[in-house]
DNA sequence: ATTGATTTGTGAAAAATTTGTCAATATAGA
DNA sequence: TCTATATTGACAAATTTTTCACAAATCAAT
């Protein structure tokens, strides 16, 4: 595992889409799918699907198509979805709770192991099976490499630092506040307010 | 309002980032900011910031920079963030509740006016100030142009249809299921599971 | 074994997006 | 008023990403 550096990021972002399509096909008992089939399901061009895969190897059979099960295994392995990942959620508010119970996570192998907060009212309370812990008391070397920031914008940077200190290597940030980049830490930002704003922009151009 | 068609979508997606930076600058009492300042805050190159703005007009003063307040007004108006937007949430589960209380929405002028569900256990119950309504009973002509889908994947397509029938023109879809595109309806998908998968991919290439 | 119908993988072309550069222009100070 | 400094807006170049198009490969049928 060393040479697959320069994969375009749009390609990486499409892999989960393909993964989802393949699961569906497998559940439907489809054994083989052509790039046209896959592309139609995924909402992309067939040539794009083939090009995307080509960065990782050759998975198809010319004249036939792609063996669903095999391709699923391969993409699974490329994205590391063949193993379980422990995830820490920082922020036991509405969003944190929603994420804890988000059905998709478990299905894809993401297991929430801890929920943190700094509110004394919440610390010690249970959220499902999990007891909310004081974010201050978090040990240094956890083996969760993924952290989710579901705290208010004002606390985001501080929380990020804490997570990183406890060994988190990848952060999914819902706070809306940009986190100043740290070496070797991968961050993705999801900003739901931005998404709504993008919608209203397009609404206004549609009704030109 | 008619000619601003071909704006690159990455440009549109950056406007909310600029918007957020400008709010911060204004709150800090900064009157003028250069493209360098703005770009550093937004995490982009200065030339990109200027290029992005150039699609919409000229907002800066050469030798000086951009008057924060004026630029804020302009971007506000371009993105329609100078008016309030009514939003319907479909799905009164954990995610729906989280979105209802999401502090960012109100601040940017998005007002949740209705929460819908199909679960008889939930219909009639209150969620904050809002009474959960039966999604079947929704009238045809609401003046909310934005709907949020926060239901399980299996129900997503059906719910989308219902929302569209009641006048929704833009959909923010959290279900993970692709919604088959309808004419004149803008859809954006947020898939949190995909985001985690993208993180695990990058984790594995980082540790190459 | 040969033919015909498919469909992949890929190199090259096209399109889209980002970045660099600089003339034009505004401000502030002498 | 003139000069030095700063910074925009836009054009051009560079880079990235998508799309095209076709040779090579596989299968099924004769």
């Amino acid at each position: 595992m060393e040479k697959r550096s320069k994969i375009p990021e749009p390609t990486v972002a499409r892999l989960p889409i393909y993964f989802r399509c393949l699961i569906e096909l497998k559940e439907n008992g489809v054994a083989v799918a052509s790039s046209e089939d896959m592309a139609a399901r995924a909402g992309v061009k067939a040539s794009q699907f083939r090009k995307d895969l080509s960065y990782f190897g050759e998975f198809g059979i010319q004249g036939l198509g792609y063996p669903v099960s095999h391709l699923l295994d391969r993409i699974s392995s490329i994205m590391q979805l063949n193993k379980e990942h422990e995830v820490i959620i920082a922020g036991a508010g509405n969003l944190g709770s929603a994420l804890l119970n988000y059905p998709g996570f478990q299905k894809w192998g993401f297991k929430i192991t801890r929920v943190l907060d700094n509110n004394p009212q919440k610390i010690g309370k249970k959220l499902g099976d999990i007891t909310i812990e004081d974010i201050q008391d978090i040990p240094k070397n956890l083996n969760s490499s993924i952290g989710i920031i579901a705290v208010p914008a004002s606390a985001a940077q501080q929380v990020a630092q804490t997570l990183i200190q406890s060994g988190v290597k990848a952060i999914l940030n819902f706070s809306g506040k940009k986190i100043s980049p740290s070496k070797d830490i991968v961050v993705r930002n999801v900003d739901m307010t931005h998404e709504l704003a993008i919608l209203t922009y397009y609404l206004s151009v549609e009704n030109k």
Side-chain angles (χ1 to χ4, degrees), chain A:
Chain A
M1 206 180 302
E2 72 271 274
K3 67 184 183 310
R4 60 170 190 262
S5 262
K6 293 311 282 182
I7 314 289
E9 111 109 62
T11 293
V12 174
R14 280 187 295 266
L15 293 180
I17 303 177
Y18 302 150
F19 181 77
R20 197 185 279 277
C21 295
L22 287 164
I23 289 178
E24 213 173 279
L25 284 168
K26 192 174 181 184
E27 282 174 353
N28 293 354
V30 178
V32 176
S34 71
S35 57
E36 287 290 353
D37 295 343
M38 283 295 300
R41 281 175 179 271
V44 302
K45 286 248 164 60
S47 54
Q48 179 157 76
F49 175 76
R50 296 200 300 271
K51 175 64 96 181
D52 282 343
L53 291 191
S54 77
Y55 291 108
F56 301 99
E58 308 188 0
F59 310 114
I61 303 168
Q62 289 186 331
L64 241 201
Y66 298 84
V68 169
S69 201
H70 175 245
L71 184 55
L72 185 55
D73 288 349
R74 298 308 314 277
I75 292 190
S76 211
S77 143
I78 289 165
M79 303 218 78
Q80 309 291 307
L81 295 174
N82 53 348
K83 39 177 82 76
E84 193 172 82
H85 296 271
E86 299 194 353
V87 177
I88 306 182
I89 295 180
N94 284 295
L95 183 57
S97 317
L99 293 170
L100 178 63
N101 295 297
Y102 196 61
F105 285 172
Q106 194 157 41
K107 210 172 148 189
W108 286 41
F110 297 106
K111 187 178 174 195
I112 315 290
T113 52
R114 289 184 133 97
V115 176
L116 317 179
D117 209 298
N118 68 348
N119 182 344
Q121 303 263 294
K122 289 181 180 168
I123 294 165
K125 292 253 170 69
K126 281 234 168 191
L127 215 55
D129 313 332
I130 296 182
T131 305
I132 300 170
E133 297 173 80
D134 189 339
I135 192 163
Q136 314 258 298
D137 296 348
I138 278 313
K140 294 295 167 195
N141 261 9
L142 299 173
N143 60 344
S144 305
S145 42
I146 304 176
I148 297 182
I149 296 187
V151 303
S154 54
Q157 180 63 49
Q158 172 63 62
V159 165
Q161 234 112 48
T162 308
L163 287 176
I164 291 170
Q165 273 164 27
S166 71
V168 158
K169 294 286 185 226
I171 292 177
L172 185 53
N173 174 26
F174 284 93
S175 76
K177 177 84 186 174
K178 194 161 74 89
I179 288 169
S180 43
S182 303
K183 179 118 175 43
D184 293 337
I185 307 293
V186 195
V187 177
R188 289 192 62 92
N189 299 293
V190 175
D191 193 315
M192 301 181 285
T193 317
H194 287 194
E195 296 299 326
L196 286 186
I198 295 168
L199 284 180
T200 56
Y201 170 81
Y202 281 117
L203 276 178
S204 79
V205 264
E206 287 280 305
N207 320 327
K208 57 170 173 323

